[in-house]
Amino acid sequence: MVVTLRPTAVPAGTQIPDFEVWDGSPARKVGVNDPSVMDEFPQTTVWRRALQTFCYTVAMLAIPPIGMLPIFPAFWVFNTLDEFVGIASFDREIYMAMIPILAWPTAFAMVLVTVAFIACVRWIILPRVKEGRYSVHSWFYFRMWVVALATEITLETLTSLFATIYMRAWYRLMGAKIGKGAEISTNLAGRFDLVEIGEKNFIADEVMLGDEDIRRGWMVLKKVKTGANVFIGNDAVVPPGSIIPKGALIGIKSKPPENHLIAPNDTWFGSPPIKLPVRQKFDALSENWTYEPPLWKKIARAVFEAVHVSLSTMLFITFGTWAVEWFGSDLLAG
């Protein structure tokens, strides 16, 4: 059976015949595949398949522990500060009260090392990503899978980085083209070279931005580009190869139409998408509150988000240390 299901919502109990193409929400038939022109499944040898199975297994077992590596430099910083304070002969109660202050440099170190670690993995394993069609049995596909897995696992320690001003700096470090003032809160996995986000964009949470298309054993990668002042809502699906023009708005859980159907400043909502003729605008707020805030606001936000990014890690270290200090001896003695 060969069925094409684009990003869609298929109701329970639905039966889809062979070769049909279904799309939309709820899913509905939009076409039929021609078996005579469909790609053949890629072929590979038994030995190559066995070797790649082994490599995937090793990666699945090794990458999660490797994702914990940034913790060790962070705790080295904490241990160094702890020894310094110990030498200074502080009262123990005062020292315990100082733990949050000592934990904060540790949290920052963990964030920086994690970002550097992910960047190294990306540039060493997958130095360049090009548009094209790749077999799922190719080593390129394996390397892209490894980078995507390493990024996802390691970013578990950096979930607070999403939707901050530091996200665009990190994505630039990873090779994506990010315009000035863009706000991003989604994971690009290993497609950094294929993403170009315009100035003053807002890419919300869980957006599928040009995710690879895999069919019949072939992965298809295409560039995705947005113009300036584009808004893409939560859980929207932007297919590979999409070009979203300046000022367009793609609604929450929506999908844009074909490139030739969307014009600058359009508003599209739903799947299949419906063009909304009028977009409500609010002129009460000036550019100082949206796209062009003054310098002091930028600095205030940078400081606040730096604290926000490291706060959860700092609290983990602080309460962990207090727990060991106050209850560890009794638990070990018991």
PDB file of all heavy atoms in Angstrom, residues 72-102:
ATOM      1  N   PHE A  72      29.811  18.579  33.715  1.00  0.00           N
ATOM      2  CA  PHE A  72      31.090  18.445  34.416  1.00  0.00           C
ATOM      3  C   PHE A  72      31.877  19.751  34.481  1.00  0.00           C
ATOM      4  O   PHE A  72      32.370  20.118  35.556  1.00  0.00           O
ATOM      5  CB  PHE A  72      31.906  17.318  33.779  1.00  0.00           C
ATOM      6  CG  PHE A  72      31.255  15.973  33.905  1.00  0.00           C
ATOM      7  CD1 PHE A  72      30.636  15.377  32.823  1.00  0.00           C
ATOM      8  CD2 PHE A  72      31.216  15.317  35.124  1.00  0.00           C
ATOM      9  CE1 PHE A  72      30.019  14.153  32.935  1.00  0.00           C
ATOM     10  CE2 PHE A  72      30.594  14.084  35.261  1.00  0.00           C
ATOM     11  CZ  PHE A  72      29.990  13.501  34.160  1.00  0.00           C
ATOM     12  N   PRO A  73      32.033  20.512  33.386  1.00  0.00           N
ATOM     13  CA  PRO A  73      32.690  21.814  33.518  1.00  0.00           C
ATOM     14  C   PRO A  73      31.942  22.746  34.459  1.00  0.00           C
ATOM     15  O   PRO A  73      32.553  23.530  35.192  1.00  0.00           O
ATOM     16  CB  PRO A  73      32.692  22.363  32.083  1.00  0.00           C
ATOM     17  CG  PRO A  73      32.580  21.167  31.220  1.00  0.00           C
ATOM     18  CD  PRO A  73      31.741  20.196  31.983  1.00  0.00           C
ATOM     19  N   ALA A  74      30.610  22.654  34.449  1.00  0.00           N
ATOM     20  CA  ALA A  74      29.823  23.512  35.324  1.00  0.00           C
ATOM     21  C   ALA A  74      30.113  23.204  36.793  1.00  0.00           C
ATOM     22  O   ALA A  74      30.327  24.115  37.604  1.00  0.00           O
ATOM     23  CB  ALA A  74      28.336  23.334  35.028  1.00  0.00           C
ATOM     24  N   PHE A  75      30.160  21.921  37.133  1.00  0.00           N
ATOM     25  CA  PHE A  75      30.421  21.574  38.520  1.00  0.00           C
ATOM     26  C   PHE A  75      31.895  21.781  38.896  1.00  0.00           C
ATOM     27  O   PHE A  75      32.209  21.947  40.070  1.00  0.00           O
ATOM     28  CB  PHE A  75      29.974  20.136  38.804  1.00  0.00           C
ATOM     29  CG  PHE A  75      28.522  20.042  39.137  1.00  0.00           C
ATOM     30  CD1 PHE A  75      27.588  19.777  38.146  1.00  0.00           C
ATOM     31  CD2 PHE A  75      28.076  20.275  40.419  1.00  0.00           C
ATOM     32  CE1 PHE A  75      26.233  19.712  38.440  1.00  0.00           C
ATOM     33  CE2 PHE A  75      26.724  20.206  40.723  1.00  0.00           C
ATOM     34  CZ  PHE A  75      25.795  19.929  39.733  1.00  0.00           C
ATOM     35  N   TRP A  76      32.778  21.793  37.911  1.00  0.00           N
ATOM     36  CA  TRP A  76      34.174  22.164  38.200  1.00  0.00           C
ATOM     37  C   TRP A  76      34.224  23.630  38.647  1.00  0.00           C
ATOM     38  O   TRP A  76      34.932  23.978  39.597  1.00  0.00           O
ATOM     39  CB  TRP A  76      35.035  21.968  36.955  1.00  0.00           C
ATOM     40  CG  TRP A  76      36.466  22.410  37.176  1.00  0.00           C
ATOM     41  CD1 TRP A  76      37.476  21.698  37.739  1.00  0.00           C
ATOM     42  CD2 TRP A  76      37.014  23.689  36.840  1.00  0.00           C
ATOM     43  NE1 TRP A  76      38.638  22.445  37.792  1.00  0.00           N
ATOM     44  CE2 TRP A  76      38.375  23.678  37.249  1.00  0.00           C
ATOM     45  CE3 TRP A  76      36.491  24.841  36.248  1.00  0.00           C
ATOM     46  CZ2 TRP A  76      39.209  24.774  37.058  1.00  0.00           C
ATOM     47  CZ3 TRP A  76      37.324  25.932  36.063  1.00  0.00           C
ATOM     48  CH2 TRP A  76      38.660  25.898  36.463  1.00  0.00           C
ATOM     49  N   VAL A  77      33.467  24.485  37.965  1.00  0.00           N
ATOM     50  CA  VAL A  77      33.390  25.890  38.377  1.00  0.00           C
ATOM     51  C   VAL A  77      32.850  25.992  39.793  1.00  0.00           C
ATOM     52  O   VAL A  77      33.385  26.715  40.643  1.00  0.00           O
ATOM     53  CB  VAL A  77      32.502  26.691  37.398  1.00  0.00           C
ATOM     54  CG1 VAL A  77      32.255  28.108  37.924  1.00  0.00           C
ATOM     55  CG2 VAL A  77      33.139  26.755  36.023  1.00  0.00           C
ATOM     56  N   PHE A  78      31.772  25.237  40.063  1.00  0.00           N
ATOM     57  CA  PHE A  78      31.169  25.292  41.393  1.00  0.00           C
ATOM     58  C   PHE A  78      32.149  24.790  42.454  1.00  0.00           C
ATOM     59  O   PHE A  78      32.261  25.375  43.538  1.00  0.00           O
ATOM     60  CB  PHE A  78      29.898  24.452  41.413  1.00  0.00           C
ATOM     61  CG  PHE A  78      29.153  24.523  42.723  1.00  0.00           C
ATOM     62  CD1 PHE A  78      28.359  25.619  43.026  1.00  0.00           C
ATOM     63  CD2 PHE A  78      29.247  23.503  43.654  1.00  0.00           C
ATOM     64  CE1 PHE A  78      27.675  25.698  44.226  1.00  0.00           C
ATOM     65  CE2 PHE A  78      28.567  23.579  44.842  1.00  0.00           C
ATOM     66  CZ  PHE A  78      27.777  24.674  45.143  1.00  0.00           C
ATOM     67  N   ASN A  79      32.858  23.720  42.162  1.00  0.00           N
ATOM     68  CA  ASN A  79      33.814  23.165  43.119  1.00  0.00           C
ATOM     69  C   ASN A  79      34.944  24.149  43.405  1.00  0.00           C
ATOM     70  O   ASN A  79      35.394  24.291  44.545  1.00  0.00           O
ATOM     71  CB  ASN A  79      34.372  21.851  42.586  1.00  0.00           C
ATOM     72  CG  ASN A  79      35.258  21.154  43.611  1.00  0.00           C
ATOM     73  OD1 ASN A  79      34.814  20.791  44.695  1.00  0.00           O
ATOM     74  ND2 ASN A  79      36.532  20.975  43.253  1.00  0.00           N
ATOM     75  N   THR A  80      35.405  24.849  42.348  1.00  0.00           N
ATOM     76  CA  THR A  80      36.468  25.840  42.526  1.00  0.00           C
ATOM     77  C   THR A  80      36.002  26.969  43.434  1.00  0.00           C
ATOM     78  O   THR A  80      36.729  27.397  44.349  1.00  0.00           O
ATOM     79  CB  THR A  80      36.897  26.410  41.160  1.00  0.00           C
ATOM     80  OG1 THR A  80      37.351  25.336  40.325  1.00  0.00           O
ATOM     81  CG2 THR A  80      38.008  27.434  41.320  1.00  0.00           C
ATOM     82  N   LEU A  81      34.782  27.460  43.189  1.00  0.00           N
ATOM     83  CA  LEU A  81      34.241  28.514  44.039  1.00  0.00           C
ATOM     84  C   LEU A  81      34.032  28.012  45.461  1.00  0.00           C
ATOM     85  O   LEU A  81      34.270  28.743  46.434  1.00  0.00           O
ATOM     86  CB  LEU A  81      32.921  29.017  43.453  1.00  0.00           C
ATOM     87  CG  LEU A  81      33.016  29.749  42.113  1.00  0.00           C
ATOM     88  CD1 LEU A  81      31.616  30.007  41.563  1.00  0.00           C
ATOM     89  CD2 LEU A  81      33.764  31.069  42.273  1.00  0.00           C
ATOM     90  N   ASP A  82      33.603  26.766  45.583  1.00  0.00           N
ATOM     91  CA  ASP A  82      33.383  26.176  46.901  1.00  0.00           C
ATOM     92  C   ASP A  82      34.687  26.109  47.692  1.00  0.00           C
ATOM     93  O   ASP A  82      34.721  26.438  48.884  1.00  0.00           O
ATOM     94  CB  ASP A  82      32.790  24.777  46.730  1.00  0.00           C
ATOM     95  CG  ASP A  82      32.506  24.124  48.075  1.00  0.00           C
ATOM     96  OD1 ASP A  82      31.544  24.546  48.720  1.00  0.00           O
ATOM     97  OD2 ASP A  82      33.258  23.198  48.452  1.00  0.00           O
ATOM     98  N   GLU A  83      35.772  25.707  47.045  1.00  0.00           N
ATOM     99  CA  GLU A  83      37.072  25.638  47.719  1.00  0.00           C
ATOM    100  C   GLU A  83      37.564  27.023  48.109  1.00  0.00           C
ATOM    101  O   GLU A  83      38.144  27.220  49.180  1.00  0.00           O
ATOM    102  CB  GLU A  83      38.087  24.949  46.808  1.00  0.00           C
ATOM    103  CG  GLU A  83      37.813  23.462  46.601  1.00  0.00           C
ATOM    104  CD  GLU A  83      38.827  22.819  45.677  1.00  0.00           C
ATOM    105  OE1 GLU A  83      39.676  23.564  45.134  1.00  0.00           O
ATOM    106  OE2 GLU A  83      38.766  21.591  45.497  1.00  0.00           O
ATOM    107  N   PHE A  84      37.331  28.002  47.225  1.00  0.00           N
ATOM    108  CA  PHE A  84      37.747  29.371  47.523  1.00  0.00           C
ATOM    109  C   PHE A  84      37.035  29.899  48.763  1.00  0.00           C
ATOM    110  O   PHE A  84      37.637  30.502  49.650  1.00  0.00           O
ATOM    111  CB  PHE A  84      37.465  30.285  46.333  1.00  0.00           C
ATOM    112  CG  PHE A  84      37.727  31.741  46.609  1.00  0.00           C
ATOM    113  CD1 PHE A  84      39.021  32.244  46.615  1.00  0.00           C
ATOM    114  CD2 PHE A  84      36.665  32.605  46.883  1.00  0.00           C
ATOM    115  CE1 PHE A  84      39.254  33.578  46.882  1.00  0.00           C
ATOM    116  CE2 PHE A  84      36.896  33.946  47.148  1.00  0.00           C
ATOM    117  CZ  PHE A  84      38.191  34.433  47.145  1.00  0.00           C
ATOM    118  N   VAL A  85      35.728  29.662  48.839  1.00  0.00           N
ATOM    119  CA  VAL A  85      34.964  30.110  49.993  1.00  0.00           C
ATOM    120  C   VAL A  85      35.398  29.364  51.245  1.00  0.00           C
ATOM    121  O   VAL A  85      35.485  29.929  52.335  1.00  0.00           O
ATOM    122  CB  VAL A  85      33.456  29.916  49.741  1.00  0.00           C
ATOM    123  CG1 VAL A  85      32.652  30.195  51.001  1.00  0.00           C
ATOM    124  CG2 VAL A  85      32.995  30.842  48.624  1.00  0.00           C
ATOM    125  N   GLY A  86      35.729  28.076  51.094  1.00  0.00           N
ATOM    126  CA  GLY A  86      36.193  27.296  52.229  1.00  0.00           C
ATOM    127  C   GLY A  86      37.502  27.835  52.796  1.00  0.00           C
ATOM    128  O   GLY A  86      37.687  27.899  54.012  1.00  0.00           O
ATOM    129  N   ILE A  87      38.387  28.252  51.892  1.00  0.00           N
ATOM    130  CA  ILE A  87      39.667  28.830  52.321  1.00  0.00           C
ATOM    131  C   ILE A  87      39.434  30.121  53.088  1.00  0.00           C
ATOM    132  O   ILE A  87      40.142  30.459  54.031  1.00  0.00           O
ATOM    133  CB  ILE A  87      40.585  29.075  51.098  1.00  0.00           C
ATOM    134  CG1 ILE A  87      40.995  27.735  50.487  1.00  0.00           C
ATOM    135  CG2 ILE A  87      41.808  29.890  51.475  1.00  0.00           C
ATOM    136  CD1 ILE A  87      41.759  27.876  49.194  1.00  0.00           C
ATOM    137  N   ALA A  88      38.400  30.871  52.670  1.00  0.00           N
ATOM    138  CA  ALA A  88      38.121  32.155  53.304  1.00  0.00           C
ATOM    139  C   ALA A  88      37.526  31.983  54.712  1.00  0.00           C
ATOM    140  O   ALA A  88      37.336  32.971  55.419  1.00  0.00           O
ATOM    141  CB  ALA A  88      37.163  32.961  52.436  1.00  0.00           C
ATOM    142  N   SER A  89      37.221  30.758  55.109  1.00  0.00           N
ATOM    143  CA  SER A  89      36.757  30.443  56.462  1.00  0.00           C
ATOM    144  C   SER A  89      35.470  31.188  56.834  1.00  0.00           C
ATOM    145  O   SER A  89      35.354  31.785  57.902  1.00  0.00           O
ATOM    146  CB  SER A  89      37.864  30.753  57.486  1.00  0.00           C
ATOM    147  OG  SER A  89      39.009  29.982  57.223  1.00  0.00           O
ATOM    148  N   PHE A  90      34.506  31.139  55.935  1.00  0.00           N
ATOM    149  CA  PHE A  90      33.213  31.720  56.245  1.00  0.00           C
ATOM    150  C   PHE A  90      32.488  30.855  57.278  1.00  0.00           C
ATOM    151  O   PHE A  90      32.716  29.650  57.372  1.00  0.00           O
ATOM    152  CB  PHE A  90      32.339  31.811  54.982  1.00  0.00           C
ATOM    153  CG  PHE A  90      32.680  32.983  54.107  1.00  0.00           C
ATOM    154  CD1 PHE A  90      33.583  32.847  53.067  1.00  0.00           C
ATOM    155  CD2 PHE A  90      32.074  34.208  54.321  1.00  0.00           C
ATOM    156  CE1 PHE A  90      33.885  33.917  52.256  1.00  0.00           C
ATOM    157  CE2 PHE A  90      32.372  35.289  53.505  1.00  0.00           C
ATOM    158  CZ  PHE A  90      33.280  35.153  52.478  1.00  0.00           C
ATOM    159  N   ASP A  91      31.621  31.505  58.043  1.00  0.00           N
ATOM    160  CA  ASP A  91      30.720  30.759  58.913  1.00  0.00           C
ATOM    161  C   ASP A  91      29.873  29.828  58.049  1.00  0.00           C
ATOM    162  O   ASP A  91      29.431  30.208  56.970  1.00  0.00           O
ATOM    163  CB  ASP A  91      29.829  31.734  59.691  1.00  0.00           C
ATOM    164  CG  ASP A  91      28.878  31.000  60.613  1.00  0.00           C
ATOM    165  OD1 ASP A  91      29.265  30.698  61.748  1.00  0.00           O
ATOM    166  OD2 ASP A  91      27.743  30.755  60.159  1.00  0.00           O
ATOM    167  N   ARG A  92      29.612  28.623  58.528  1.00  0.00           N
ATOM    168  CA  ARG A  92      28.936  27.624  57.697  1.00  0.00           C
ATOM    169  C   ARG A  92      27.534  28.083  57.296  1.00  0.00           C
ATOM    170  O   ARG A  92      27.084  27.833  56.185  1.00  0.00           O
ATOM    171  CB  ARG A  92      28.844  26.292  58.454  1.00  0.00           C
ATOM    172  CG  ARG A  92      28.548  25.111  57.541  1.00  0.00           C
ATOM    173  CD  ARG A  92      29.683  24.900  56.566  1.00  0.00           C
ATOM    174  NE  ARG A  92      29.373  23.867  55.583  1.00  0.00           N
ATOM    175  CZ  ARG A  92      30.136  23.612  54.529  1.00  0.00           C
ATOM    176  NH1 ARG A  92      31.218  24.337  54.308  1.00  0.00           N
ATOM    177  NH2 ARG A  92      29.818  22.653  53.690  1.00  0.00           N
ATOM    178  N   GLU A  93      26.828  28.744  58.199  1.00  0.00           N
ATOM    179  CA  GLU A  93      25.484  29.210  57.880  1.00  0.00           C
ATOM    180  C   GLU A  93      25.530  30.297  56.794  1.00  0.00           C
ATOM    181  O   GLU A  93      24.693  30.330  55.899  1.00  0.00           O
ATOM    182  CB  GLU A  93      24.791  29.742  59.142  1.00  0.00           C
ATOM    183  CG  GLU A  93      24.538  28.695  60.203  1.00  0.00           C
ATOM    184  CD  GLU A  93      23.653  27.575  59.674  1.00  0.00           C
ATOM    185  OE1 GLU A  93      22.711  27.861  58.906  1.00  0.00           O
ATOM    186  OE2 GLU A  93      23.899  26.408  60.042  1.00  0.00           O
ATOM    187  N   ILE A  94      26.517  31.170  56.915  1.00  0.00           N
ATOM    188  CA  ILE A  94      26.677  32.213  55.896  1.00  0.00           C
ATOM    189  C   ILE A  94      27.027  31.576  54.561  1.00  0.00           C
ATOM    190  O   ILE A  94      26.518  31.966  53.502  1.00  0.00           O
ATOM    191  CB  ILE A  94      27.757  33.228  56.317  1.00  0.00           C
ATOM    192  CG1 ILE A  94      27.341  33.956  57.601  1.00  0.00           C
ATOM    193  CG2 ILE A  94      28.024  34.234  55.182  1.00  0.00           C
ATOM    194  CD1 ILE A  94      28.381  34.920  58.126  1.00  0.00           C
ATOM    195  N   TYR A  95      27.890  30.573  54.622  1.00  0.00           N
ATOM    196  CA  TYR A  95      28.281  29.882  53.390  1.00  0.00           C
ATOM    197  C   TYR A  95      27.077  29.227  52.708  1.00  0.00           C
ATOM    198  O   TYR A  95      26.905  29.331  51.493  1.00  0.00           O
ATOM    199  CB  TYR A  95      29.339  28.828  53.704  1.00  0.00           C
ATOM    200  CG  TYR A  95      29.611  27.886  52.554  1.00  0.00           C
ATOM    201  CD1 TYR A  95      30.231  28.351  51.405  1.00  0.00           C
ATOM    202  CD2 TYR A  95      29.225  26.550  52.607  1.00  0.00           C
ATOM    203  CE1 TYR A  95      30.475  27.501  50.333  1.00  0.00           C
ATOM    204  CE2 TYR A  95      29.461  25.696  51.558  1.00  0.00           C
ATOM    205  CZ  TYR A  95      30.089  26.175  50.427  1.00  0.00           C
ATOM    206  OH  TYR A  95      30.318  25.342  49.365  1.00  0.00           O
ATOM    207  N   MET A  96      26.225  28.574  53.509  1.00  0.00           N
ATOM    208  CA  MET A  96      25.059  27.930  52.919  1.00  0.00           C
ATOM    209  C   MET A  96      24.116  28.959  52.291  1.00  0.00           C
ATOM    210  O   MET A  96      23.489  28.700  51.265  1.00  0.00           O
ATOM    211  CB  MET A  96      24.308  27.125  53.990  1.00  0.00           C
ATOM    212  CG  MET A  96      25.091  25.931  54.525  1.00  0.00           C
ATOM    213  SD  MET A  96      25.577  24.777  53.218  1.00  0.00           S
ATOM    214  CE  MET A  96      23.978  24.164  52.728  1.00  0.00           C
ATOM    215  N   ALA A  97      24.033  30.133  52.913  1.00  0.00           N
ATOM    216  CA  ALA A  97      23.202  31.192  52.346  1.00  0.00           C
ATOM    217  C   ALA A  97      23.791  31.727  51.048  1.00  0.00           C
ATOM    218  O   ALA A  97      23.065  32.278  50.213  1.00  0.00           O
ATOM    219  CB  ALA A  97      23.043  32.323  53.359  1.00  0.00           C
ATOM    220  N   MET A  98      25.105  31.543  50.878  1.00  0.00           N
ATOM    221  CA  MET A  98      25.782  32.038  49.672  1.00  0.00           C
ATOM    222  C   MET A  98      25.712  31.054  48.510  1.00  0.00           C
ATOM    223  O   MET A  98      26.138  31.395  47.397  1.00  0.00           O
ATOM    224  CB  MET A  98      27.256  32.347  49.979  1.00  0.00           C
ATOM    225  CG  MET A  98      27.473  33.557  50.874  1.00  0.00           C
ATOM    226  SD  MET A  98      29.227  33.770  51.220  1.00  0.00           S
ATOM    227  CE  MET A  98      29.890  33.987  49.567  1.00  0.00           C
ATOM    228  N   ILE A  99      25.183  29.871  48.744  1.00  0.00           N
ATOM    229  CA  ILE A  99      25.145  28.847  47.698  1.00  0.00           C
ATOM    230  C   ILE A  99      24.488  29.356  46.413  1.00  0.00           C
ATOM    231  O   ILE A  99      25.013  29.129  45.311  1.00  0.00           O
ATOM    232  CB  ILE A  99      24.439  27.574  48.208  1.00  0.00           C
ATOM    233  CG1 ILE A  99      25.306  26.873  49.260  1.00  0.00           C
ATOM    234  CG2 ILE A  99      24.156  26.610  47.051  1.00  0.00           C
ATOM    235  CD1 ILE A  99      26.624  26.356  48.734  1.00  0.00           C
ATOM    236  N   PRO A 100      23.337  30.045  46.476  1.00  0.00           N
ATOM    237  CA  PRO A 100      22.752  30.529  45.219  1.00  0.00           C
ATOM    238  C   PRO A 100      23.683  31.463  44.442  1.00  0.00           C
ATOM    239  O   PRO A 100      23.717  31.429  43.212  1.00  0.00           O
ATOM    240  CB  PRO A 100      21.487  31.272  45.688  1.00  0.00           C
ATOM    241  CG  PRO A 100      21.154  30.644  47.001  1.00  0.00           C
ATOM    242  CD  PRO A 100      22.464  30.310  47.630  1.00  0.00           C
ATOM    243  N   ILE A 101      24.454  32.280  45.173  1.00  0.00           N
ATOM    244  CA  ILE A 101      25.387  33.195  44.504  1.00  0.00           C
ATOM    245  C   ILE A 101      26.498  32.409  43.826  1.00  0.00           C
ATOM    246  O   ILE A 101      26.922  32.725  42.708  1.00  0.00           O
ATOM    247  CB  ILE A 101      25.968  34.202  45.512  1.00  0.00           C
ATOM    248  CG1 ILE A 101      24.833  35.027  46.137  1.00  0.00           C
ATOM    249  CG2 ILE A 101      27.001  35.104  44.844  1.00  0.00           C
ATOM    250  CD1 ILE A 101      25.291  35.958  47.230  1.00  0.00           C
ATOM    251  N   LEU A 102      26.969  31.366  44.473  1.00  0.00           N
ATOM    252  CA  LEU A 102      28.021  30.539  43.886  1.00  0.00           C
ATOM    253  C   LEU A 102      27.482  29.687  42.738  1.00  0.00           C
ATOM    254  O   LEU A 102      28.198  29.384  41.778  1.00  0.00           O
ATOM    255  CB  LEU A 102      28.614  29.619  44.956  1.00  0.00           C
ATOM    256  CG  LEU A 102      29.288  30.296  46.152  1.00  0.00           C
ATOM    257  CD1 LEU A 102      29.758  29.240  47.145  1.00  0.00           C
ATOM    258  CD2 LEU A 102      30.450  31.153  45.707  1.00  0.00           C
TER     259      LEU A 102
END
